[in-house]
Amino acid sequence: MCSESGKTGDTDMQAANMAELLGDLDFDPVALKEKYLSERDKRIRDDGNQQYVEITAEFSRYIDDPYVDPGFTRDPLFDEVEVAIIGGGFGGLLMAARMKEAGFDDVRMIEKAGDFGGTWYWNRYPGAMCDVESYCYLPLLEELNYMPKNKYSFAPEILEHSKNIARHYCLYENACLQTSITNMTWEQSSQKWIIETDRGDKMRARYVAMANGPLSRPKLPGIKGINDYEGHTFHTSRWDYNYTGGNSYGNLTNLKDKRVGIIGTGATGVQCIPHLGEWAKELYVFQRTPSSIDVRNNGETDPNWATTLKPGWQKERMDNFNTLVSGGDQEVDLVADGWTDIMRNLTGIAAKIASRKLGRKLTKGERAELMELSDYKKMNFVRKRAEEIVNDPSIAEKLKPWYRQFCKRPCFHDEYLDTYNRDNVTLVDTQGKGVDEITSKGLIANGKEFELDCLIFATGFEVGTSYTRRAGYDIVGRGGQSLSEHWSEGLRTFQGLTSHGFPNCFFLVFTQTAITVNVPHALNEQAKHLAHIIGNAKKQGLHTIEASAIAEDEYVAEIHKTASSGSRFYAECTPGYYNSEGQRGNTAGFFSNMHGAGPVKFFKILEDWRAQGDMQGLELS
Ligand code: NDP
């Protein structure tokens, strides 16, 4: 995904090869690269991640749960469970499912939201949907005997599926919803975790799995005057339908007489802007960097196709997709969508095809050049699409992304660009500078004040801040050491799942594991792996599991060695959460702590380790 960018035009021999491989290039790669770098330079800021404000204190209302009735109370719990799972999103649900299947019945889910669903509980904004194919993305489809309605599911269906998983595995029975952890402390005498919550609970658990989610803590831009605004305002992950009217499918009737402003044109902004454009009296979109908008092409599930599927089909499809989007080859492309198309052109698959054409292996330089030129071609297509859809050429120009495909998350949408053909919609392109100031009446951008009735922040989620800050609590392990201290110089784990000094505490999600486009795939692999480890230890009558100090050291060294690839690629990218807002040398970018083997090999490493059977690297007692 993040191949090192090479030098264009290394040698004449290579230039000739590229023309042979890619056909005539109707653009000047050197000029394009210069344009990319100058666009990046416009956006680089000294304050990097610090430009955002943490949602605490006077900002806390931005993360209040709008989907629950106020006044919920319950008696505090002082009991004990065998397994506590923190987080009721896909990570927590998969972990619970795999633990139940492994014979663990005493499982308690703890979740701050009012229900299961995680990101799909919070993100109910109009137009919310998943742009990874539903047949791969929705977990446990065969277990639940459920077939999604469309190739790409809309948010309400995904939320409902999450609740159905919880029902199927009886997870409501013992769950603590609307409950946030405040402290988690290892009690050596009982060899259990003491979990304290904002509901006054002080419960014990033998095993704890942390499934807090990678993008769960909303962030706000630290724009001057952000607290001065007197109109209505909210973050997209807490959509206020009482104000806008309507629901996730649109129909925002209350906005008919409103001037609405939205800051942010990432994957979220792209999905909700068409609905705002349809319903608001006036819509102002404040853009700092345009997203890359490729073709969506959604469609209803063909019931005839669904009946042809054989048991095991979902795993087969997920593996096929994962291999293709990780640069591997497959005889058939089962998903055949924008993701697999991009990856076919921009990864090792393209290099393999080129090698076949040339009758020899590509050199490292040739391979990098091929990737870079293919990337330019792909992004030229995306830019041309904006020209073709948007009627006003000057607006189309502002919507063109000038960076390589994976500098930011690719977006796929068939109505977004068309929204800018509406008379009531104004694109306020800030030329990479962002909004200047927020006032009591609206905001100032490009030196001009825009008066607004409602201001919506589609400004994303914290990445690159500390794990414990994002979780909202610290963990105190054996000997009183906190996780924030243990990880003060970076994540320290074994296999991304356990840490020395924190027995029976397991991390799900992107803590030194492998990332893939289909996030639930990675979560499922982690959940299966952990259920295997915990189940095996229990069978042997062992009570504690943790990474040995040596195994952790070795694993951290392996991560640092393998995860460095892509650093040059990201240094040349426009800022965003993928590259820690463009701060070179900062190791907190989204991909900086992942295992460099990539998901296919990484999952195989875990599988081989399980097959070996000796639980090497873990201390068990
Ligand atoms: P992002 O972080 O991707 O986008 C935040 C947006 O806010 C960017 O456009 C950013 O501009 C803009 N912004 C921030 N500060 C300012 C400012 N001061 N002035 C103007 N603009 C500003 O967040 P999203 O919520 O859009 O998406 C987060 C992630 O959630 C996605 O990357 C994706 O992984 C996931 N997602 C997945 C979906 C799916 O279909 N599976 C759907 C939606 C989200 P700039 O780019 O210049 O920084």
Side-chain angles (χ1 to χ4, degrees), residues 465-495:
T465 51
S466 76
Y467 178 88
T468 46
R469 168 171 150 171
R470 279 176 283 137
Y473 56 93
D474 209 342
I475 301 172
V476 180
R478 198 181 320 94
Q481 191 190 23
S482 70
L483 190 67
S484 54
E485 283 160 10
H486 190 54
W487 287 2
S488 60
E489 287 177 19
L491 298 179
R492 296 192 57 77
T493 71
F494 172 63
Q495 296 183 335

Side-chain angles (χ1 to χ4, degrees), residues 32 43 93-94 121 165 174 224 246 267 271-272 333 374 406 487 498 526 578 599:
L32 253 186
R43 292 170 174 82
L93 289 167
L94 280 160
Y121 175 90
I165 295 173
N174 202 14
K224 186 178 160 208
Q271 291 185 340
C272 64
D333 177 356
S374 307
F406 281 101
W487 287 2
T498 68
Q526 292 167 15
Y578 276 11

